[in-house]
C-alpha cells in the first residue's frame, strides 16, 4: 500500500464528481460540435449518447480495477498486474503517446483560434513559431519549478464552464427548431467515424480516480461519483450540441475553428463572441499547461520504476529539483506532432491510443476476477462480466472505424514497440549473466 495509509480520506461524492467533470470537459467541446455536425447533421445527438454510454462503462472498469490495485500508474498498472510486464509496457507507451497526440491536437486548435483574431498566424511559418512558443514556454516554466497545480485547475474550471452554461441558458431564444429535425438517418460508417472523433471530448475521466486513497467510503462513493459526473458531462455536451445545431443549423459545419463562439455572436452579440473565444483559449491553454505539468511526471515515474528502461528520463535537475529531461522530451514530442498534423487527424489518433488502453483495462477486470485477488469491501461492477465485455466490444467497434492508413500506422507502431521491448530485455539478461 506504500504511503496510502498516511493520506486522509476526505473526498466525497460531490468532490470526486467535480474532479471527473473538470478533467473530461476540456478543449474538445469548443471545437468538435462543428466537426460532428459535418458528419452527422442534426442527428449528432446519437453519437453523444453512445460515447457517453461507453465512457461510463469504461470508468466502471477503472473503478473496479483501481479498487484492487493500489500502486500508481492508472491504466498501465492495471494491465501490468493482470497480464504482465510486456502488456503493461505497451499500455504505458500508448498512454503517453495518446496524451502527446491529444496535446498536439489541442495546440493546433488553439493556434487556429488565435488565427481568428490575428490572421497572420494562419501562415505555416508563424503557425510553427507559435506552436514552438506554446510548448517551449510551458516546458521552460515547468523545468524551473513553477507550481500551477490546483490554482490553475480552479481558474480553468470556472473559465470554461461558466460561458458554456450561460450559452446554453440564453441560446434558446435564438433556436430554430426546424434545424433540429433529422433530414435523413446517417449511415453506419458515418456513425462510427463520428464516434471515433467525438470520443476525444469524453476521454480522460479515468485520471479523476487516481485520488483513490483519499476517497471516503470508496465502495459507495466511486460508482455514485462516476454516475453523477458522466451524467453531468453528457447533459452538458448534449445541450451544447443542441444549442449550436438549433442556432446555426446548416451553417454549423462552416465554423470549425470556433463553433460555440459563432453561436455566442448570435445570442449575445460581438461581446459574447469575444468571451467564448477567450474562454475556449483559456481552456485549451490550461489543458496544455496541466498536461505538460503532469505527464512528464508519468514518464519520470515509468523511468524510475524501469517500466520504460531509459534511465536518463529519471534525472532530476540539481538546482530546480524537477524531472527536466522528461519535461523537455514530452514537450518536444508534443511540438513535433503538432507541427506535423491538424486537430482532426491528431484527435483521432489520440482517441485510438487511449481506446487501446481502455480496451486493456476492460480485459484486466476479467483477468483480475479470474485470479481472485479481490478482497471484501473492494468495489465490484454488478451484472457479472457484462460491463467489461460490453466495453471491450464497443471499443473494438470504435477502432474498426479507423482508416486503413491509421490501422497500418498503429500496427507498425505496435510491432516497433514489441521489437524494442524484447531487444531491451535481451540486453538486460546478458548484463545480469555477466
Amino acid at each position: 500500500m506504500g504511503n496510502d495509509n498516511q493520506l486522509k480520506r476526505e473526498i466525497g461524492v460531490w468532490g470526486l464528481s467535480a474532479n471527473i467533470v473538470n478533467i473530461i470537459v476540456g478543449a474538445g467541446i469548443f471545437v468538435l460540435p462543428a466537426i460532428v455536425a459535418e458528419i452527422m447533421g442534426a442527428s449528432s445527438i446519437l453519437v453523444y449518447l453512445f460515447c457517453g454510454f461507453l465512457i461510463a462503462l469504461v470508468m466502471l472498469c477503472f473503478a473496479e480495477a483501481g479498487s484492487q490495485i493500489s500502486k500508481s500508474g492508472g491504466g498501465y498498472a492495471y494491465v501490468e498486474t493482470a497480464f504482465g510486464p510486456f502488456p503493461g509496457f505497451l499500455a504505458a507507451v500508448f498512454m503517453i503517446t495518446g496524451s502527446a497526440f491529444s496535446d498536439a491536437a489541442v495546440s493546433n486548435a488553439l493556434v487556429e483560434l488565435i488565427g481568428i483574431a490575428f490572421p497572420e498566424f494562419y501562415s505555416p511559418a508563424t503557425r510553427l513559431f507559435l506552436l514552438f512558443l506554446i510548448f517551449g514556454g510551458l516546458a521552460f516554466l515547468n523545468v524551473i519549478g513553477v507550481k500551477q497545480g490546483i490554482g490553475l485547475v480552479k481558474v480553468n474550471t470556472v473559465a470554461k464552464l461558466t460561458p458554456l452554461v450561460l450559452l446554453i441558458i440564453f441560446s434558446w431564444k435564438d433556436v430554430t427548431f426546424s434545424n433540429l429535425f433529422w433530414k435523413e438517418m446517417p449511415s453506419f460508417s458515418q456513425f462510427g467515424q463520428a464516434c471515433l472523433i467525438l470520443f476525444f471530448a469524453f476521454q480522460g475521466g479515468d485520471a479523476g480516480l487516481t485520488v483513490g486513497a483519499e476517497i471516503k467510503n470508496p465502495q459507495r462513493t466511486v460508482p455514485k461519483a462516476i454516475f453523477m459526473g458522466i451524467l453531468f458531462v453528457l447533459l452538458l455536451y448534449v445541450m451544447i450540441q443542441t444549442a449550436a445545431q438549433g442556432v446555426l443549423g446548416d451553417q454549423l459545419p462552416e465554423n470549425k475553428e470556433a463553433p460555440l463562439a459563432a453561436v455566442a455572436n448570435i445570442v449575445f452579440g460581438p461581446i459574447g463572441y469575444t468571451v467564448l473565444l477567450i474562454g475556449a483559449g483559456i481552456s485549451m491553454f490550461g489543458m496544455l499547461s496541466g498536461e505538460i505539468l503532469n505527464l512528464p511526471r508519468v514518464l519520470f515515474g515509468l523511468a524510475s520504476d524501469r517500466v520504460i528502461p531509459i534511465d536518463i528520463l529519471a534525472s532530476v535537475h540539481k538546482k530546480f529539483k524537477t524531472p527536466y529531461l522528461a519535461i523537455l522530451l514530452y514537450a518536444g514530442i508534443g511540438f513535433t506532432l503538432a507541427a506535423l498534423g491538424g486537430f482532426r487527424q491528431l484527435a483521432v489518433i489520440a482517441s485510438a491510443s487511449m481506446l487501446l488502453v481502455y480496451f486493456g483495462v476492460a480485459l484486466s477486470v476479467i483477468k483480475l476476477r479470474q485470479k481472485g485477488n479481490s478482497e471484501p469491501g473492494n468495489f465490484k461492477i454488478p451484472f457479472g462480466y457484462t460491463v467489461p465485455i460490453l466495453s471491450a466490444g464497443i471499443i473494438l467497434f470504435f477502432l474498426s472505424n479507423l482508416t486503413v492508413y491509421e490501422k497500418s500506422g498503429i500496427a507498425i507502431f505496435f510491432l516497433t514497440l514489441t521489437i524494442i521491448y524484447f531487444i531491451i530485455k535481451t540486453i538486460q539478461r546478458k548484463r545480469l549473466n555477466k
Side-chain angles (χ1 to χ4, degrees):
M1 292 293 291
N3 295 322
D4 284 354
N5 56 1
Q6 298 178 26
L7 300 174
K8 292 184 178 180
R9 294 190 176 273
E10 297 181 340
I11 300 175
V13 173
W14 288 104
L16 185 58
S17 296
N19 195 32
I20 292 170
V21 169
N22 178 57
I23 293 170
I24 294 178
V25 182
I29 195 58
F30 287 94
V31 180
L32 287 170
I35 297 175
V36 176
E38 182 182 32
I39 301 170
M40 295 285 292
S43 61
S44 300
I45 302 304
L46 293 174
V47 186
Y48 282 86
L49 295 175
F50 196 60
C51 286
F53 179 62
L54 173 60
I55 200 64
L57 296 179
V58 168
M59 291 283 281
L60 287 172
C61 291
F62 267 88
E64 176 166 333
S67 71
Q68 297 181 45
I69 300 168
S70 58
K71 65 180 180 179
S72 61
Y76 99 82
Y78 310 154
V79 173
E80 183 183 39
T81 302
F83 297 106
F86 176 54
F89 168 78
L90 293 176
V93 175
F94 275 114
M95 283 178 68
I96 295 296
T97 53
S99 296
F101 274 109
S102 177
D103 295 348
V106 170
S107 64
N108 268 285
L110 180 57
V111 170
E112 289 178 3
L113 204 64
I114 295 172
I116 294 175
F118 306 98
E120 54 268 24
F121 284 107
Y122 281 129
S123 71
T126 50
R127 169 182 169 272
L128 200 64
F129 176 69
L130 187 54
L131 287 171
F132 179 78
L133 282 181
I134 291 170
F135 283 98
L138 288 173
F140 174 75
L141 289 175
N142 281 289
V143 165
I144 63 175
V146 173
K147 297 179 180 179
Q148 304 171 61
I150 194 66
L152 179 61
V153 168
K154 291 178 180 177
V155 172
N156 189 41
T157 303
V158 174
K160 64 189 174 187
L161 288 183
T162 300
L164 290 175
V165 172
L166 290 175
L167 183 65
I168 291 169
I169 293 171
F170 290 101
S171 64
W172 293 106
K173 65 181 177 63
D174 295 294
V175 167
T176 302
F177 287 95
S178 60
N179 289 338
L180 302 176
F181 295 143
W182 301 357
K183 297 176 182 177
E184 58 183 5
M185 284 296 294
S187 67
F188 200 63
S189 174
Q190 287 175 308
F191 181 74
Q193 183 187 356
C195 283
L196 189 60
I197 183 70
L198 180 63
F199 189 73
F200 181 80
F202 280 89
Q203 67 187 40
D206 52 281
L209 299 176
T210 57
V211 293
E214 296 158 276
I215 298 172
K216 292 186 288 189
N217 193 8
Q219 290 76 27
R220 296 182 61 187
T221 299
V222 168
K224 285 183 179 179
I226 288 173
F227 175 77
M228 290 171 57
I230 296 299
L231 183 60
F232 177 82
V233 170
L234 182 58
L235 288 173
L236 180 71
Y237 283 4
V238 167
M239 296 299 285
I240 288 171
Q241 185 72 35
T242 302
Q245 181 69 42
V247 172
L248 294 178
D250 293 338
Q251 294 180 345
L252 178 56
E254 299 173 9
N255 293 274
K256 290 189 180 65
E257 290 85 2
L260 301 189
V263 176
N265 188 45
I266 295 174
V267 176
F268 299 112
I271 189 170
Y273 181 86
T274 303
V275 168
L276 257 293
L277 214 59
I278 293 173
I282 291 173
S283 183
M284 292 176 188
F285 186 79
M287 179 265 190
L288 289 170
S289 181
E291 288 276 281
I292 296 176
L293 175 70
N294 292 306
L295 263 298
R297 269 70 180 179
V298 177
L299 266 178
F300 173 78
L302 294 174
S304 300
D305 296 340
R306 304 190 68 84
V307 176
I308 296 178
I310 308 174
D311 294 343
I312 195 171
L313 291 179
S315 302
V316 176
H317 197 283
K318 292 182 180 179
K319 179 180 179 181
F320 301 121
K321 306 300 180 184
T322 56
Y324 68 109
L325 292 179
I327 293 170
L328 294 175
L329 175 62
Y330 184 81
I333 292 171
F335 167 72
T336 303
L337 294 174
L340 294 175
F343 175 83
R344 186 165 183 166
Q345 301 91 335
L346 292 167
V348 168
I349 298 172
S351 291
S353 298
M354 292 310 300
L355 281 166
L356 288 168
V357 177
Y358 293 167
F359 182 74
V361 172
L363 297 183
S364 297
V365 171
I366 298 173
K367 186 68 174 179
L368 290 169
R369 284 191 185 183
Q370 292 174 345
K371 286 185 173 182
N373 293 336
S374 182
E375 298 178 1
N378 285 348
F379 171 68
K380 190 171 184 179
I381 307 169
F383 310 116
Y385 291 110
T386 304
V387 169
I389 291 175
L390 195 55
S391 300
I394 296 175
I395 289 170
L396 288 177
F397 162 70
F398 274 48
L399 294 174
S400 71
N401 288 279
L402 291 168
T403 64
V404 174
Y405 175 77
E406 290 161 347
K407 289 176 183 175
S408 300
I410 289 176
I412 292 170
F413 186 45
F414 183 89
L415 181 61
T416 303
L417 290 177
T418 302
I419 293 170
I420 291 172
Y421 178 83
F422 285 104
I423 287 175
I424 291 170
K425 285 299 178 183
T426 301
I427 293 172
Q428 286 177 338
R429 279 195 296 269
K430 287 182 179 179
R431 285 179 179 174
L432 289 173
N433 293 331
K434 285 183 179 181

